Amino acid sequence: MINKRIVEKLGYIDEEVDVNLVESIRELKKSKNATILAHYYQNPEVQDIADFVGDSLALARIATTVKTNIIVFAGVKFMAETTKILNPSTKVLLPDLNAGCSLADSCKYDDFKLFISKYPNHKVVTYVNTTADIKTLSDICCTSSNAVNVVNSFSSDTPIIFAPDKNLGSYVKETTKRDNIVVWNGACHVHSQFSLDKILELKKLNPDAEIIAHPECPKPILIVSNFIGSTAQLIEYTKKSLSKKFIVVTELGVIHQMEKENSGKSFIVAPSECGCSDCSFMKMITLKKLYLTLKYELPEIVLPDDVIEKARLPIEKMISIK
Ligand code: SF4
C-alpha cells in the first residue's frame, strides 16, 4: 500500500536500493516472466538491458507478439498506452508516469474534437505520439516510419486531417504531393529546437559528414539533409551509406545504437537552440526505476475498456501498413 501512495505522489517508486541493478533486473525479469521493451531514445544502459529495442512502429509490432505476464515499457507514456491497448490482458508497467511527451501534450482531446468537427468528411490520421483519447478520434494512426504510406493508403481525392506534428505533416504533404491535407499545429520540443545555423557551421567543420534528419525537424533542416527518415530508417541508412561520418539530427539516444551497429564510423550530435538534443521525458527512465517497477509491479498503465476498444482499430491499421 505504501508504494501505491508513493506512485500517486511522485509518479514512480522511490526508495534506497543497495543491489546490483543489472543483475537484479535480470533476475526479476525471469522470476516474474516479464519483457522489457525500450525505445531508441532511452539511456544506453536501459537499451542494453531490454529484450527488444526499437522505434515506435517496431515496438508496437513486437508488443503484439509478447506472451509474458508483464511488459515493462522503457519509453514514454503514449507508447506504454499503445502497448496496453494491444495487450489488454497483460500487465503493462511504465517506470515513471511523468514520462510524457511535449508533442502528445500539444494535442488535447477537446480542442482536437472541435478541430475535427470543422472538417467534415476528412479522414483523421494521427501520429502515434498522441494520448489514447486522441487515438479514439482517429481513423488510422501512423509513425514516422510509415506516415507517407498510411496517407497514401487513402485515394488521392480523400481529404485528410494530419495531427499532431506540423513538421511531419508538412513533410508528408509535400512527399505525397497532396494539397488536401489539413495539419494540426503541434511540435516536439526536441526536434523543433535544432539550429540550422549551428548545423551548417558543423557541416563546414566536417565537410565529409552527411546530415541525416528525422522528419519531425523543421523544413529548412530537412532541405539541407542528405537523408530524412524515422529513427529506425536513420539507423539503417548509417549502415548502408559509404560515408564514415554523420551529423545526426534527432534525439541523441539513437547514437548508442548507431555506434553499436557501425564500428569505424562516427556520429556527431546536432546542436539545438536550447542545447538540449535529448528528450527529458525519455531520460526519466533509469535502471533504478526499472528495478523498483519490476519489484513492486508499479506504476501500472490502466485504461478504460471503451478507450481500449476504440483506440485499438486505428493502431492495428497502422501496424498493418509498412
Ligand atoms: S522526442 Fe519529442 S516526440 Fe519523442 S517522446 Fe520526446 S517529446 Fe515526444
Side-chain angles (χ1 to χ4, degrees):
M1 284 306 287
I2 185 80
N3 286 305
K4 279 204 171 170
R5 265 187 250 133
I6 293 173
V7 167
E8 275 158 26
K9 202 167 158 214
L10 298 175
Y12 56 90
I13 294 172
D14 197 16
E15 66 180 29
E16 291 289 318
V17 291
D18 185 20
V19 293
N20 178 312
L21 288 172
V22 171
E23 275 175 21
S24 305
I25 289 169
R26 288 208 176 110
E27 278 162 20
L28 281 170
K29 216 159 52 99
K30 205 168 168 197
S31 64
K32 298 208 173 197
N33 190 24
T35 301
I36 299 177
L37 305 182
H39 192 269
Y40 284 131
Y41 294 169
Q42 287 294 296
N43 286 308
E45 65 275 18
V46 173
Q47 292 189 41
D48 289 344
I49 204 157
D51 297 286
F52 299 99
V53 186
D55 67 356
S56 304
L57 186 59
L59 291 174
R61 287 206 174 108
I62 289 165
T64 61
T65 66
V66 172
K67 297 278 182 267
T68 51
N69 299 343
I70 294 173
I71 297 175
V72 183
F73 204 100
V76 295
K77 198 170 179 190
F78 76 80
M79 296 175 176
E81 285 182 347
T82 302
T83 303
K84 180 68 187 174
I85 291 163
L86 292 168
N87 298 275
S89 58
T90 304
K91 188 178 263 190
V92 176
L93 306 172
L94 178 67
D96 188 337
L97 293 177
N98 302 308
C101 167
S102 55
L103 179 54
D105 287 346
S106 70
C107 191
K108 303 277 187 235
Y109 181 83
D110 289 343
D111 299 340
F112 192 55
K113 203 169 175 191
L114 182 66
F115 184 78
I116 291 174
S117 70
K118 291 181 185 158
Y119 298 97
N121 307 321
H122 283 56
K123 292 292 178 190
V124 180
V125 178
T126 56
Y127 196 24
V128 73
N129 302 34
T130 53
T131 61
D133 278 352
I134 294 290
K135 291 182 175 80
T136 66
L137 300 173
S138 312
D139 291 295
I140 185 166
C141 296
C142 69
T143 71
S144 47
S145 284
N146 71 357
V148 168
N149 292 344
V150 165
V151 166
N152 277 337
S153 69
F154 294 99
S155 63
S156 58
D157 57 352
T158 306
I160 285 170
I161 291 171
F162 189 96
D165 191 80
K166 63 179 177 187
N167 294 324
L168 179 63
S170 97
Y171 171 75
V172 167
K173 206 170 163 175
E174 229 176 281
T175 309
T176 59
K177 298 188 173 52
R178 290 179 184 235
D179 54 13
N180 54 358
I181 302 180
V182 187
V183 179
W184 176 264
N185 187 23
C188 152
H189 75 293
V190 177
H191 291 91
S192 60
Q193 286 292 322
F194 283 111
S195 162
L196 177 64
D197 291 345
K198 290 180 189 171
I199 289 170
L200 292 177
E201 270 173 41
L202 207 52
K203 173 75 179 169
K204 257 191 209 162
L205 294 172
N206 299 277
D208 54 333
E210 285 193 296
I211 301 173
I212 56 172
H214 192 281
E216 279 177 37
C217 296
K219 189 173 173 184
I221 291 177
L222 300 185
I223 289 173
V224 302
S225 297
N226 299 89
F227 180 75
I228 301 163
S230 68
T231 317
Q233 289 162 347
L234 293 179
I235 294 170
E236 244 350 87
Y237 181 77
T238 60
K239 292 197 284 183
K240 287 186 193 143
S241 168
L242 296 177
S243 183
K244 293 265 182 255
K245 201 188 270 185
F246 301 87
I247 297 170
V248 183
V249 200
T250 188
E251 213 276 351
L252 59 80
V254 72
I255 288 179
H256 179 60
Q257 204 62 28
M258 288 175 174
E259 285 175 342
K260 272 172 94 168
E261 301 205 25
N262 290 288
S263 65
K265 295 191 180 184
S266 62
F267 303 92
I268 308 169
V269 180
S272 68
E273 296 290 358
C274 58
C276 49
S277 310
D278 65 339
C279 174
S280 48
F281 298 112
M282 285 281 183
K283 300 306 188 293
M284 285 178 181
I285 311 302
T286 60
L287 282 186
K288 179 182 164 186
K289 285 181 190 166
L290 262 181
Y291 165 72
L292 290 170
T293 290
L294 275 164
K295 181 176 171 189
Y296 292 104
E297 299 182 22
L298 287 171
E300 184 177 357
I301 296 291
V302 180
L303 292 168
D305 289 345
D306 61 322
V307 170
I308 290 182
E309 201 182 317
K310 280 193 206 156
R312 195 179 168 97
L313 195 61
I315 297 172
E316 284 180 343
K317 284 188 194 164
M318 168 187 88
I319 290 173
S320 72
I321 294 180
K322 274 203 168 179

